[in-house]
Amino acid sequence: MIEISNLQKCYGDTKVLNDINVEIKKQDIYGLLGVSGAGKSTLLRCINGLESYDEGSLKVNGVEVKDLSENELRGFRKNVGMIFQNFSLLERKTVYQNIALPMECWGYKKSEIDKKVKKLLDLVELSDKINSKPNELSGGQKQRVAIARALTLDPQILLCDEATSALDPSITNSILSLLRKINKELGITMVVVTHQMNVVKQVCNEMAILSKGKLEAKGRVEDIFLDKPDVLDELLGHSQHSFTSDNGIDIEIIDRNGSQKGSLLSSLAIETGVQYSLVWGGMDKYRDKVLSNFIINIKEEDKINVIKFLNDKNVEWREA
Ligand code: ADP
Protein backbone atom coordinates (compact mmCIF):
# COMPACT_ATOMS: atom_id res chain seq x y z
CA MET A 1 0.00 0.00 0.00
CA ILE A 2 2.88 2.39 0.83
CA GLU A 3 6.16 1.60 -0.93
CA ILE A 4 9.15 3.75 -0.11
CA SER A 5 12.44 3.11 -1.92
CA ASN A 6 15.79 4.90 -1.73
CA LEU A 7 14.06 8.01 -0.43
CA GLN A 8 16.26 11.07 0.17
CA LYS A 9 15.28 14.45 1.54
CA CYS A 10 17.47 17.44 2.35
CA TYR A 11 16.83 20.70 4.18
CA GLY A 12 19.54 22.93 2.74
CA ASP A 13 22.79 20.99 3.02
CA THR A 14 21.45 18.64 5.70
CA LYS A 15 20.23 15.22 4.61
CA VAL A 16 17.30 14.47 6.94
CA LEU A 17 16.15 11.29 5.16
CA ASN A 18 18.90 9.12 3.74
CA ASP A 19 18.14 6.11 1.55
CA ILE A 20 14.90 5.04 3.26
CA ASN A 21 13.33 1.76 2.13
CA VAL A 22 10.03 0.72 3.74
CA GLU A 23 7.03 -1.31 2.63
CA ILE A 24 3.78 -0.86 4.52
CA LYS A 25 1.05 -3.35 3.69
CA LYS A 26 -2.70 -2.79 3.76
CA GLN A 27 -4.06 -2.88 7.32
CA ASP A 28 -0.59 -2.83 8.90
CA ILE A 29 -0.08 -0.73 11.98
CA TYR A 30 3.47 0.32 11.20
CA GLY A 31 5.58 1.89 13.96
CA LEU A 32 8.25 4.49 13.19
CA LEU A 33 10.56 4.87 16.16
CA GLY A 34 13.50 7.14 16.72
CA VAL A 35 14.84 9.84 19.02
CA SER A 36 13.80 13.43 18.48
CA GLY A 37 15.26 14.81 15.25
CA ALA A 38 15.66 11.36 13.64
CA GLY A 39 13.41 12.29 10.71
CA LYS A 40 10.16 10.53 11.67
CA SER A 41 7.79 13.47 11.19
CA THR A 42 9.50 14.45 7.94
CA LEU A 43 8.90 10.94 6.60
CA LEU A 44 5.27 11.11 7.71
CA ARG A 45 4.82 14.45 5.95
CA CYS A 46 6.35 12.96 2.78
CA ILE A 47 3.76 10.16 2.96
CA ASN A 48 0.84 12.58 2.94
CA GLY A 49 2.42 14.88 0.38
CA LEU A 50 2.88 17.82 2.76
CA GLU A 51 6.62 17.64 2.01
CA SER A 52 8.29 16.70 -1.23
CA TYR A 53 11.43 14.55 -1.45
CA ASP A 54 14.58 14.98 -3.52
CA GLU A 55 15.32 11.46 -4.72
CA GLY A 56 13.87 7.98 -4.65
CA SER A 57 10.28 6.88 -4.77
CA LEU A 58 7.28 7.03 -2.45
CA LYS A 59 4.19 5.33 -3.82
CA VAL A 60 0.79 5.13 -2.17
CA ASN A 61 -1.50 2.60 -3.86
CA GLY A 62 0.95 2.57 -6.78
CA VAL A 63 0.87 6.37 -7.25
CA GLU A 64 4.12 8.36 -7.00
CA VAL A 65 3.26 11.14 -4.53
CA LYS A 66 5.87 13.55 -5.91
CA ASP A 67 4.25 13.44 -9.34
CA LEU A 68 0.82 14.59 -8.15
CA SER A 69 -0.33 18.07 -9.20
CA GLU A 70 -1.67 20.49 -6.53
CA ASN A 71 -5.20 19.51 -7.48
CA GLU A 72 -4.47 15.79 -7.39
CA LEU A 73 -2.70 16.22 -4.05
CA ARG A 74 -5.86 17.67 -2.58
CA GLY A 75 -7.81 14.55 -3.56
CA PHE A 76 -4.92 12.32 -2.42
CA ARG A 77 -4.86 13.88 1.06
CA LYS A 78 -8.55 13.06 1.46
CA ASN A 79 -7.40 9.46 1.61
CA VAL A 80 -4.85 10.11 4.35
CA GLY A 81 -6.06 11.16 7.82
CA MET A 82 -3.66 12.54 10.39
CA ILE A 83 -3.63 13.00 14.18
CA PHE A 84 -1.09 14.89 16.26
CA GLN A 85 0.29 15.13 19.80
CA ASN A 86 -1.40 18.51 20.38
CA PHE A 87 -4.79 17.39 18.90
CA SER A 88 -5.08 20.55 16.72
CA LEU A 89 -8.75 21.18 17.54
CA LEU A 90 -10.45 24.54 16.99
CA GLU A 91 -11.11 25.85 20.49
CA ARG A 92 -14.10 28.03 19.55
CA LYS A 93 -15.97 25.23 17.82
CA THR A 94 -17.90 22.40 19.48
CA VAL A 95 -16.96 18.73 19.23
CA TYR A 96 -19.64 18.32 16.53
CA GLN A 97 -18.35 21.31 14.52
CA ASN A 98 -14.72 20.17 14.80
CA ILE A 99 -15.55 16.72 13.44
CA ALA A 100 -17.81 18.14 10.72
CA LEU A 101 -15.14 20.55 9.42
CA PRO A 102 -13.42 18.39 6.77
CA MET A 103 -16.78 17.35 5.27
CA GLU A 104 -17.94 20.99 5.21
CA CYS A 105 -14.74 21.96 3.37
CA TRP A 106 -15.47 19.29 0.78
CA GLY A 107 -19.06 20.50 0.39
CA TYR A 108 -20.93 17.47 1.68
CA LYS A 109 -24.68 17.80 2.32
CA LYS A 110 -25.73 18.75 5.88
CA SER A 111 -27.72 15.52 6.33
CA GLU A 112 -24.76 13.42 5.24
CA ILE A 113 -22.44 15.33 7.61
CA ASP A 114 -24.87 14.90 10.48
CA LYS A 115 -25.15 11.15 9.95
CA LYS A 116 -21.38 10.69 9.68
CA VAL A 117 -20.45 12.85 12.69
CA LYS A 118 -22.93 11.02 14.92
CA LYS A 119 -21.69 7.63 13.71
CA LEU A 120 -18.07 8.62 14.41
CA LEU A 121 -18.95 10.06 17.82
CA ASP A 122 -20.44 6.68 18.64
CA LEU A 123 -17.28 4.92 17.39
CA VAL A 124 -15.00 7.04 19.60
CA GLU A 125 -17.50 6.81 22.50
CA LEU A 126 -18.06 10.54 22.88
CA SER A 127 -21.72 10.94 21.92
CA ASP A 128 -22.43 12.67 25.25
CA LYS A 129 -19.89 15.43 24.47
CA ILE A 130 -21.39 16.41 21.13
CA ASN A 131 -21.94 20.07 22.14
CA SER A 132 -18.87 20.49 24.37
CA LYS A 133 -15.99 22.79 23.49
CA PRO A 134 -12.41 21.38 23.51
CA ASN A 135 -11.55 23.21 26.77
CA GLU A 136 -14.26 21.15 28.51
CA LEU A 137 -12.58 17.87 27.50
CA SER A 138 -9.71 15.83 28.95
CA GLY A 139 -6.60 15.13 26.82
CA GLY A 140 -7.84 11.65 25.96
CA GLN A 141 -11.27 12.98 24.92
CA LYS A 142 -9.63 15.66 22.75
CA GLN A 143 -7.60 12.97 20.97
CA ARG A 144 -10.82 10.97 20.42
CA VAL A 145 -12.37 14.02 18.74
CA ALA A 146 -9.23 14.42 16.60
CA ILE A 147 -9.44 10.73 15.62
CA ALA A 148 -13.12 11.09 14.64
CA ARG A 149 -12.28 14.21 12.60
CA ALA A 150 -9.45 12.34 10.83
CA LEU A 151 -11.90 9.62 9.80
CA THR A 152 -14.71 11.78 8.38
CA LEU A 153 -13.54 11.52 4.76
CA ASP A 154 -13.16 7.70 4.97
CA PRO A 155 -9.37 7.61 4.60
CA GLN A 156 -7.58 4.35 3.85
CA ILE A 157 -4.53 5.53 5.80
CA LEU A 158 -4.24 7.17 9.22
CA LEU A 159 -0.95 8.82 10.17
CA CYS A 160 -0.41 9.24 13.92
CA ASP A 161 2.33 11.70 14.93
CA GLU A 162 3.18 11.14 18.62
CA ALA A 163 -0.59 10.86 19.19
CA THR A 164 -0.25 9.56 22.76
CA SER A 165 2.89 11.39 23.88
CA ALA A 166 0.97 14.03 25.84
CA LEU A 167 -1.32 11.54 27.58
CA ASP A 168 -0.91 9.64 30.83
CA PRO A 169 -0.49 5.83 30.71
CA SER A 170 -4.10 4.72 31.30
CA ILE A 171 -5.47 7.22 28.75
CA THR A 172 -2.72 6.16 26.33
CA ASN A 173 -3.94 2.56 26.66
CA SER A 174 -7.53 3.53 25.88
CA ILE A 175 -6.46 5.52 22.79
CA LEU A 176 -4.30 2.61 21.61
CA SER A 177 -7.26 0.21 22.03
CA LEU A 178 -9.37 2.61 19.96
CA LEU A 179 -6.72 2.71 17.21
CA ARG A 180 -6.62 -1.08 17.09
CA LYS A 181 -10.43 -1.23 16.93
CA ILE A 182 -10.44 1.24 14.01
CA ASN A 183 -7.70 -0.72 12.25
CA LYS A 184 -9.65 -3.98 12.62
CA GLU A 185 -13.19 -2.75 12.01
CA LEU A 186 -12.56 -0.18 9.28
CA GLY A 187 -9.49 -1.88 7.77
CA ILE A 188 -7.47 1.35 7.95
CA THR A 189 -3.68 1.16 7.51
CA MET A 190 -1.83 3.14 10.16
CA VAL A 191 1.62 4.65 10.46
CA VAL A 192 2.43 5.42 14.07
CA VAL A 193 5.31 7.78 14.81
CA THR A 194 6.39 7.53 18.42
CA HIS A 195 9.34 7.43 20.78
CA GLN A 196 7.37 5.24 23.24
CA MET A 197 8.32 1.52 23.19
CA ASN A 198 5.05 0.45 24.84
CA VAL A 199 3.09 2.05 21.99
CA VAL A 200 4.74 -0.07 19.29
CA LYS A 201 4.52 -3.21 21.41
CA GLN A 202 0.82 -2.67 22.06
CA VAL A 203 -0.45 -1.78 18.59
CA CYS A 204 2.10 -2.27 15.81
CA ASN A 205 2.78 -5.44 13.85
CA GLU A 206 5.79 -4.05 11.98
CA MET A 207 8.24 -1.29 12.84
CA ALA A 208 11.30 0.60 11.69
CA ILE A 209 13.86 2.54 13.70
CA LEU A 210 15.21 5.78 12.29
CA SER A 211 18.45 7.31 13.49
CA LYS A 212 19.91 10.52 12.04
CA GLY A 213 17.79 10.15 8.91
CA LYS A 214 18.80 6.53 8.28
CA LEU A 215 16.69 3.47 8.71
CA GLU A 216 18.76 1.31 11.02
CA ALA A 217 16.37 -1.60 11.67
CA LYS A 218 13.02 -2.84 10.43
CA GLY A 219 10.85 -5.92 10.75
CA ARG A 220 8.23 -7.58 12.95
CA VAL A 221 8.04 -5.75 16.27
CA GLU A 222 8.80 -8.88 18.33
CA ASP A 223 11.80 -9.73 16.11
CA ILE A 224 13.32 -6.28 16.59
CA PHE A 225 12.96 -6.49 20.37
CA LEU A 226 14.35 -10.04 20.44
CA ASP A 227 17.24 -9.36 18.05
CA LYS A 228 18.17 -6.14 19.88
CA PRO A 229 19.98 -4.19 17.17
CA ASP A 230 22.43 -1.57 18.54
CA VAL A 231 20.08 1.22 17.49
CA LEU A 232 17.44 -0.13 19.90
CA ASP A 233 19.92 0.12 22.79
CA GLU A 234 20.63 3.70 21.69
CA LEU A 235 16.94 4.42 21.81
CA LEU A 236 16.45 2.79 25.19
CA GLY A 237 19.55 4.51 26.53
CA HIS A 238 20.90 1.21 27.92
CA SER A 239 21.79 -2.31 26.88
CA GLN A 240 18.78 -4.59 27.18
CA HIS A 241 20.47 -7.40 29.07
CA SER A 242 23.27 -6.56 31.42
CA PHE A 243 22.46 -9.72 33.36
CA THR A 244 25.23 -11.98 32.12
CA SER A 245 27.26 -14.16 34.51
CA ASP A 246 30.99 -14.24 35.23
CA ASN A 247 31.32 -18.04 35.11
CA GLY A 248 30.08 -20.81 32.80
CA ILE A 249 27.97 -20.14 29.73
CA ASP A 250 24.87 -18.02 29.40
CA ILE A 251 22.29 -19.40 26.98
CA GLU A 252 19.39 -17.24 25.89
CA ILE A 253 16.23 -19.17 25.05
CA ILE A 254 14.14 -17.28 22.54
CA ASP A 255 10.42 -17.51 21.80
CA ARG A 256 9.31 -15.54 18.74
CA ASN A 257 5.79 -16.86 18.33
CA GLY A 258 4.40 -17.60 21.78
CA SER A 259 4.86 -21.30 21.16
CA GLN A 260 7.24 -22.00 24.02
CA LYS A 261 5.82 -24.21 26.77
CA GLY A 262 6.09 -23.06 30.37
CA SER A 263 7.47 -26.48 31.27
CA LEU A 264 10.54 -26.18 29.00
CA LEU A 265 13.03 -25.40 31.78
CA SER A 266 11.81 -28.18 34.08
CA SER A 267 11.94 -30.64 31.13
CA LEU A 268 15.49 -29.47 30.48
CA ALA A 269 16.49 -30.27 34.06
CA ILE A 270 14.68 -33.64 34.10
CA GLU A 271 15.71 -34.88 30.65
CA THR A 272 19.35 -33.76 30.70
CA GLY A 273 20.04 -33.90 34.43
CA VAL A 274 21.78 -30.54 34.00
CA GLN A 275 21.56 -28.01 36.79
CA TYR A 276 21.19 -24.48 35.53
CA SER A 277 20.69 -21.16 37.22
CA LEU A 278 18.20 -18.66 35.91
CA VAL A 279 20.08 -15.43 35.07
CA TRP A 280 17.19 -13.51 33.58
CA GLY A 281 13.60 -14.22 32.65
CA GLY A 282 10.81 -12.09 31.37
CA MET A 283 7.45 -12.07 29.67
CA ASP A 284 6.67 -9.44 27.09
CA LYS A 285 3.35 -8.70 25.44
CA TYR A 286 3.22 -7.82 21.74
CA ARG A 287 -0.36 -6.98 20.69
CA ASP A 288 -2.24 -10.15 21.74
CA LYS A 289 0.80 -12.40 22.01
CA VAL A 290 2.80 -13.08 25.17
CA LEU A 291 6.42 -14.20 24.67
CA SER A 292 8.54 -15.67 27.47
CA ASN A 293 12.30 -15.48 27.16
CA PHE A 294 15.06 -16.65 29.50
CA ILE A 295 18.79 -16.59 30.00
CA ILE A 296 20.16 -19.59 31.87
CA ASN A 297 23.68 -20.18 33.08
CA ILE A 298 25.22 -23.64 32.71
CA LYS A 299 28.64 -25.19 33.19
CA GLU A 300 30.90 -25.43 30.14
CA GLU A 301 30.80 -29.26 30.27
CA ASP A 302 26.96 -29.29 30.07
CA LYS A 303 26.85 -27.20 26.91
CA ILE A 304 26.63 -30.07 24.38
CA ASN A 305 23.81 -31.74 26.33
CA VAL A 306 21.77 -28.57 26.71
CA ILE A 307 22.18 -27.54 23.08
CA LYS A 308 21.16 -31.02 21.88
CA PHE A 309 18.05 -30.83 24.08
CA LEU A 310 17.10 -27.38 22.72
CA ASN A 311 17.78 -28.36 19.11
CA ASP A 312 15.76 -31.59 19.45
CA LYS A 313 12.84 -29.51 20.72
CA ASN A 314 13.28 -26.95 17.90
CA VAL A 315 13.85 -24.21 20.44
CA GLU A 316 15.73 -21.12 19.24
CA TRP A 317 18.74 -20.21 21.41
CA ARG A 318 21.92 -18.19 21.32
CA GLU A 319 24.87 -17.64 23.61
CA ALA A 320 24.18 -14.47 25.56
P1 ADP B 1 11.56 13.71 14.40
O1 ADP B 1 10.13 13.69 13.95
O2 ADP B 1 12.20 12.36 14.37
O3 ADP B 1 11.76 14.39 15.72
P2 ADP B 1 11.92 15.63 12.26
O4 ADP B 1 11.48 14.91 11.04
O5 ADP B 1 10.98 16.60 12.89
O6 ADP B 1 12.42 14.56 13.34
O7 ADP B 1 13.27 16.39 11.94
C1 ADP B 1 14.39 15.77 11.30
C2 ADP B 1 15.49 16.79 11.09
O8 ADP B 1 15.07 17.74 10.11
C3 ADP B 1 15.83 17.59 12.33
O9 ADP B 1 17.21 17.78 12.34
C4 ADP B 1 15.10 18.90 12.14
O10 ADP B 1 15.77 19.94 12.78
C5 ADP B 1 15.12 19.06 10.63
N1 ADP B 1 13.94 19.79 10.12
C6 ADP B 1 12.66 19.41 10.27
N2 ADP B 1 11.83 20.27 9.63
C7 ADP B 1 12.63 21.23 9.06
C8 ADP B 1 12.40 22.39 8.27
N3 ADP B 1 11.16 22.75 7.91
N4 ADP B 1 13.48 23.12 7.87
C9 ADP B 1 14.72 22.75 8.21
N5 ADP B 1 15.02 21.66 8.94
C10 ADP B 1 14.01 20.89 9.37
Side-chain angles (χ1 to χ4, degrees):
M1 169 157 241
I2 305 174
E3 292 162 277
I4 303 173
S5 30
N6 310 111
L7 197 81
Q8 313 250 12
K9 160 115 192 131
C10 295
Y11 284 121
D13 293 339
T14 317
K15 207 173 254 186
V16 289
L17 294 176
N18 189 356
D19 202 22
I20 305 290
N21 290 281
V22 174
E23 191 191 337
I24 301 173
K25 299 182 295 300
K26 185 169 164 40
Q27 223 172 334
D28 272 351
I29 305 187
Y30 200 100
L32 274 181
L33 246 92
V35 293
S36 183
K40 307 178 298 289
S41 303
T42 305
L43 184 55
L44 217 54
R45 289 199 305 272
C46 288
I47 294 175
N48 72 359
L50 276 175
E51 292 275 1
S52 189
Y53 38 96
D54 303 310
E55 278 175 51
S57 165
L58 196 164
K59 289 184 181 169
V60 176
N61 287 330
V63 174
E64 186 69 51
V65 177
K66 190 166 65 169
D67 294 344
L68 296 172
S69 65
E70 270 304 310
N71 212 17
E72 287 168 329
L73 258 182
R74 212 172 151 248
F76 167 79
R77 287 204 196 105
K78 208 176 159 189
N79 199 23
V80 186
M82 191 150 178
I83 55 171
F84 306 89
Q85 177 172 1
N86 63 4
F87 324 118
S88 301
L89 300 179
L90 298 178
E91 292 296 329
R92 294 171 68 179
K93 294 200 180 277
T94 64
V95 165
Y96 183 99
Q97 290 164 336
N98 265 285
I99 300 173
L101 206 62
M103 291 181 88
E104 281 171 1
C105 291
W106 277 89
Y108 283 77
K109 280 195 273 179
K110 270 202 163 24
S111 59
E112 225 177 321
I113 296 177
D114 191 65
K115 201 169 147 205
K116 190 59 176 265
V117 172
K118 286 178 178 157
K119 191 174 153 205
L120 286 169
L121 274 171
D122 187 42
L123 178 79
V124 301
E125 296 171 20
L126 270 188
S127 300
D128 56 331
K129 300 287 181 194
I130 188 163
N131 294 317
S132 302
K133 294 271 180 68
N135 65 6
E136 296 161 337
L137 303 177
S138 68
Q141 289 169 334
K142 284 182 195 171
Q143 196 55 288
R144 284 170 185 272
V145 176
I147 291 170
R149 185 186 54 188
L151 298 178
T152 42
L153 302 174
D154 296 320
Q156 288 183 303
I157 298 170
L158 181 65
L159 306 178
C160 311
D161 196 355
E162 299 281 6
T164 54
S165 299
L167 305 174
D168 61 41
S170 67
I171 304 297
T172 293
N173 287 342
S174 76
I175 295 293
L176 295 179
S177 302
L178 176 61
L179 291 178
R180 278 208 68 191
K181 177 170 128 180
I182 289 165
N183 167 257
K184 263 192 202 158
E185 291 181 9
L186 307 182
I188 293 181
T189 308
M190 297 185 181
V191 185
V192 175
V193 158
T194 182
H195 65 277
Q196 298 170 293
M197 303 292 156
N198 63 319
V199 169
V200 271
K201 285 185 178 178
Q202 246 171 288
V203 296
C204 300
N205 57 324
E206 298 264 335
M207 66 181 274
I209 305 180
L210 272 172
S211 174
K212 298 183 188 126
K214 279 196 166 174
L215 212 149
E216 299 287 356
K218 65 178 171 185
R220 286 197 324 162
V221 174
E222 50 273 49
D223 288 338
I224 300 276
F225 280 95
L226 289 171
D227 293 337
K228 306 168 199 137
D230 291 344
V231 68
L232 186 62
D233 285 345
E234 270 172 40
L235 206 59
L236 290 164
H238 60 84
S239 172
Q240 288 192 83
H241 294 311
S242 40
F243 305 102
T244 45
S245 321
D246 296 333
N247 302 310
I249 297 171
D250 288 330
I251 303 270
E252 183 168 6
I253 297 173
I254 299 161
D255 181 15
R256 286 181 196 270
N257 299 304
S259 53
Q260 204 142 280
K261 295 193 181 73
S263 56
L264 182 78
L265 290 184
S266 50
S267 302
L268 171 85
I270 294 163
E271 290 181 36
T272 62
V274 166
Q275 288 199 340
Y276 63 83
S277 39
L278 187 61
V279 179
W280 178 87
M283 296 211 297
D284 239 336
K285 194 160 181 231
Y286 298 91
R287 302 237 262 187
D288 306 322
K289 198 160 57 177
V290 177
L291 305 184
S292 335
N293 292 282
F294 309 97
I295 299 178
I296 57 170
N297 180 264
I298 55 171
K299 291 195 198 106
E300 179 77 45
E301 60 262 37
D302 291 329
K303 184 176 169 184
I304 291 176
N305 247 343
V306 168
I307 287 172
K308 182 174 182 319
F309 169 87
L310 295 173
N311 287 345
D312 286 350
K313 295 245 181 306
N314 282 324
V315 173
E316 187 181 340
W317 62 272
R318 67 184 163 219
E319 273 191 52

XYZ file of all heavy atoms in Angstrom, residues 48-49 63-77:
137
model
N 2.113 11.937 3.305
C 0.836 12.583 2.940
C 1.008 13.767 1.976
O 0.081 14.531 1.749
C 0.013 12.973 4.170
C 0.589 14.143 4.917
O 1.627 14.671 4.535
N -0.074 14.552 5.982
N 2.214 13.883 1.419
C 2.417 14.884 0.383
C 2.538 16.303 0.902
O 2.512 17.253 0.123
N 0.754 5.018 -6.678
C 0.872 6.371 -7.247
C 2.066 7.095 -6.633
O 2.207 7.168 -5.396
C -0.418 7.187 -6.969
C -0.253 8.632 -7.426
C -1.604 6.533 -7.648
N 2.948 7.619 -7.476
C 4.124 8.360 -7.000
C 3.660 9.719 -6.465
O 3.156 10.561 -7.238
C 5.109 8.535 -8.168
C 6.423 9.151 -7.785
C 7.281 8.230 -6.923
O 7.497 7.074 -7.293
O 7.728 8.693 -5.861
N 3.830 9.940 -5.161
C 3.263 11.135 -4.528
C 3.858 12.418 -5.098
O 3.170 13.419 -5.310
C 3.450 11.066 -2.986
C 2.926 12.324 -2.311
C 2.744 9.838 -2.422
N 5.171 12.365 -5.386
C 5.873 13.547 -5.906
C 5.317 14.033 -7.255
O 5.394 15.206 -7.586
C 7.356 13.176 -6.067
C 8.277 14.301 -6.359
C 9.720 13.906 -6.160
C 10.199 12.840 -7.132
N 11.668 12.674 -7.073
N 4.736 13.094 -8.002
C 4.250 13.443 -9.339
C 2.848 14.045 -9.342
O 2.348 14.439 -10.394
C 4.243 12.187 -10.251
C 5.651 11.689 -10.516
O 6.592 12.462 -10.259
O 5.786 10.535 -10.951
N 2.199 14.091 -8.180
C 0.823 14.594 -8.151
C 0.805 16.118 -8.308
O 1.644 16.815 -7.724
C 0.139 14.220 -6.825
C -0.058 12.717 -6.569
C -0.560 12.472 -5.151
C -1.037 12.132 -7.581
N -0.169 16.610 -9.079
C -0.332 18.068 -9.202
C -0.998 18.574 -7.922
O -1.506 17.779 -7.122
C -1.226 18.381 -10.401
O -2.524 17.865 -10.143
N -1.035 19.903 -7.724
C -1.668 20.491 -6.533
C -3.100 19.980 -6.369
O -3.541 19.632 -5.278
C -1.676 22.019 -6.648
C -0.450 22.689 -6.065
C -0.203 22.318 -4.601
O -1.158 22.408 -3.803
O 0.931 21.926 -4.269
N -3.800 19.941 -7.497
C -5.197 19.514 -7.482
C -5.336 18.035 -7.104
O -6.167 17.652 -6.287
C -5.799 19.771 -8.872
C -7.260 20.102 -8.744
O -7.713 20.447 -7.647
N -8.002 19.965 -9.837
N -4.441 17.229 -7.692
C -4.471 15.786 -7.389
C -4.078 15.539 -5.928
O -4.615 14.650 -5.278
C -3.507 15.035 -8.318
C -4.001 14.933 -9.749
C -2.914 14.447 -10.713
O -1.713 14.725 -10.479
O -3.276 13.812 -11.692
N -3.136 16.369 -5.433
C -2.696 16.222 -4.045
C -3.854 16.431 -3.069
O -3.959 15.763 -2.048
C -1.611 17.255 -3.728
C -0.166 16.781 -3.703
C 0.750 17.918 -3.330
C 0.050 15.603 -2.760
N -4.714 17.359 -3.418
C -5.865 17.673 -2.575
C -6.753 16.421 -2.442
O -7.136 16.022 -1.356
C -6.649 18.819 -3.221
C -7.314 19.689 -2.212
C -7.942 20.926 -2.776
N -9.060 21.257 -1.911
C -10.312 21.181 -2.259
N -10.659 20.830 -3.473
N -11.261 21.464 -1.380
N -7.008 15.781 -3.559
C -7.805 14.546 -3.560
C -7.075 13.425 -2.848
O -7.671 12.660 -2.098
N -5.743 13.368 -3.038
C -4.923 12.320 -2.425
C -4.989 12.431 -0.888
O -5.142 11.436 -0.183
C -3.481 12.476 -2.923
C -2.468 11.676 -2.168
C -2.320 10.324 -2.407
C -1.659 12.285 -1.202
C -1.380 9.584 -1.697
C -0.733 11.556 -0.501
C -0.589 10.204 -0.749
N -4.906 13.677 -0.389
C -4.865 13.877 1.064
C -6.187 13.497 1.739
O -6.236 13.224 2.932
C -4.503 15.324 1.404
C -3.059 15.595 1.145
C -2.528 16.757 1.963
N -1.264 17.190 1.381
C -1.114 18.285 0.668
N -2.121 19.107 0.473
N 0.063 18.594 0.173
